[in-house]
Amino acid sequence: MKKAAGGRHHQGAFGLHYQELKSAWAELTAPGAPFEIVTETVRGNPLRCYKNAPPNIRALWLSTAAFADRTYIVYEDERLTYAEAHKIVASVSNWLLANGVTSGDRVAIAMRNYPEWMLLYWACVSIGVAAVGVNAWWTADELNYALKDSAPKVAFCDEERMARIRENPAMADGITLVGVRCKPADDILPWADVLATGGEMPPADIDPDADACIFYTSGTTGFPKGAQLTHRGCVANLFNMMFSGQATALATQRATGVVPDPTVAPPIPVALVTTPLFHVTANNCGAYATTAAGGTMVLMYRWDAGEALKLIEREKVTAMSGVPVMAREVITHPDFATRDTSSLLSLGGGGAQLPPDLVAKIDSQVATARPNTGYGMTETCGIITSVSADFFVDRPDSCGPAMPSFEAKCVDDAGDTVPTGSVGELWVRGSSVIKGYINRPEATADSITDGWLHTGDVARIDEDGFIYIVDRKKDMVLRGGENIYCAEVEATLYRHPAVAECTVFGVPDDRLGEEVGVAVVFRPGMSATADELRAHCVVLIAKHKAPRYIWIRTEPLPRNASGKFLKRELRETLPIETAA
């Protein structure tokens, strides 16, 4: 069944099939089932864990040797098989050990989404070394901070990152620098020397709760925090994604009576990687799922919707995931109608809530693909929730139920659980929650209470366990004592045909405390006045939620490396007197 059979929850035909989802969920997580859940004491807290999960990421990587002849990574005109990838990963592992890097040490990866990024990552985690994902957008000062904070023994850098290090060479004191796709230089070791090491994958005994990687949070204020993602957490995230796909497929089969032909093998996944590998969206979600299935990763030098369409057609891409604006740009691109996108089976993303109108557009405009989303955080090694296909179409304003490795609750300011359906801060606990932040014991204590992670997101949980993210707690506009959730105003503005991008934030106001402000970018060839946008809003939401301040911009809105709009930067740099 391509479309939801109509209506909202418990009103349309498909809304009656949530019982099938609950049944599939219980069946797949029951004792003896593939996704059996057990409770284990981890770091002193009872956490939900997958009984059948591999003990560490090394086991996952080694299992993919079975896909030897398949294409693993595509980058421009380069193609790499699994066999070739395993040879390089083993060589890197041996080089690291030969150069004094041992289990528990850290290695920084500072480069764009080149094929070497993933190979370095697998090499590190396969010998118990923590990979430090360096944000490729960082300035020299930010890079200096991260290298001092994470203290890696080795840093693998591309030409651009090497140039930033040379702005302040002292930042690399004590760090061995290896140049990847770099011009030869006296201050760096060449990548060819690492490849020449050769050898089989060395043995390693890795604790499930050892650090797998240090990924820095994408906060827009102050210096970021280095989150400690564990082997247990990363593997649990992979199982969460696998579970979500199987539970949705099983529930849909039972709801519709349509069973796949067992003689027809499902297509080998081909994923277009659109976001940086130094974040969980591309790495822990996209790369892990594709690699575990023996699929192909198609890398991009930088995001461009037209180029994405070319790659979808050329490589027969089956899945594209990124931040919501990427899916919107693909389906509204002038070349969309002329490119062959028939291989696409899923289109969506995370990092922010998919606006409900985008869910409907994906479902109606991409003939073969179903919409999907996963809500998560760096601090949870990836997804917390997931929803796709008819269940997402039926509840487009939800990000789905919490995955089996999580407990979830909404709490008030005192930390007490609020009633079902009431709004509160979302807290989650489970095996995917990070160990903490390196060098930040106070921040760790503030963010995690008895294993419960304070997400900082305002949410509600309905009677079926579906979670609805209302807004970031700190991004909420408090206007005259009334809470206005930015996501609601943004979703309303996106329903205007001229709006291509928008982001809503609070503007200080002497009388009301805050007023609603928004920066807007229009679609090519389209426009609207500020008054027309306000008139559009007041038809759909309460008048006090309509933006008082509107900045109409001709340039794309600024984003951080994970694709999220920089609200703080806009709030601080857009003069009120220039608003319409």
Side-chain angles (χ1 to χ4, degrees), residues 495-513:
R495 293 173 66 178
H496 191 287
V499 175
E501 293 181 349
C502 70
T503 188
V504 172
F505 46 87
V507 177
D509 183 82
D510 291 339
R511 187 170 67 89
L512 297 171

Side-chain angles (χ1 to χ4, degrees), residues 320-394:
M320 187 194 114
S321 182
V323 293
V325 69
M326 293 175 174
R328 190 182 295 276
E329 288 176 355
V330 163
I331 64 175
T332 58
H333 194 275
D335 294 344
F336 178 74
T338 60
R339 290 290 179 184
D340 181 4
T341 59
S342 61
S343 60
L344 275 178
L345 300 177
S346 66
L347 180 63
Q353 180 75 28
L354 263 71
D357 77 293
L358 182 56
V359 179
K361 285 183 172 70
I362 292 171
D363 204 49
S364 62
Q365 295 183 28
V366 189
T368 54
R370 305 310 311 279
N372 72 86
T373 194
Y375 156 72
M377 305 172 67
T378 302
E379 288 85 348
T380 57
C381 296
I383 62 171
I384 296 171
T385 73
S386 180
V387 65
S388 62
D390 291 305
F391 295 102
F392 194 17
V393 174
D394 196 54

Side-chain angles (χ1 to χ4, degrees), residues 501-537:
E501 293 181 349
C502 70
T503 188
V504 172
F505 46 87
V507 177
D509 183 82
D510 291 339
R511 187 170 67 89
L512 297 171
E514 285 185 308
E515 276 278 10
V516 179
V518 62
V520 177
V521 177
F522 293 131
R523 300 185 188 282
M526 302 183 72
S527 65
T529 66
D531 285 340
E532 287 171 343
L533 292 176
R534 292 188 188 96
H536 164 81
C537 289

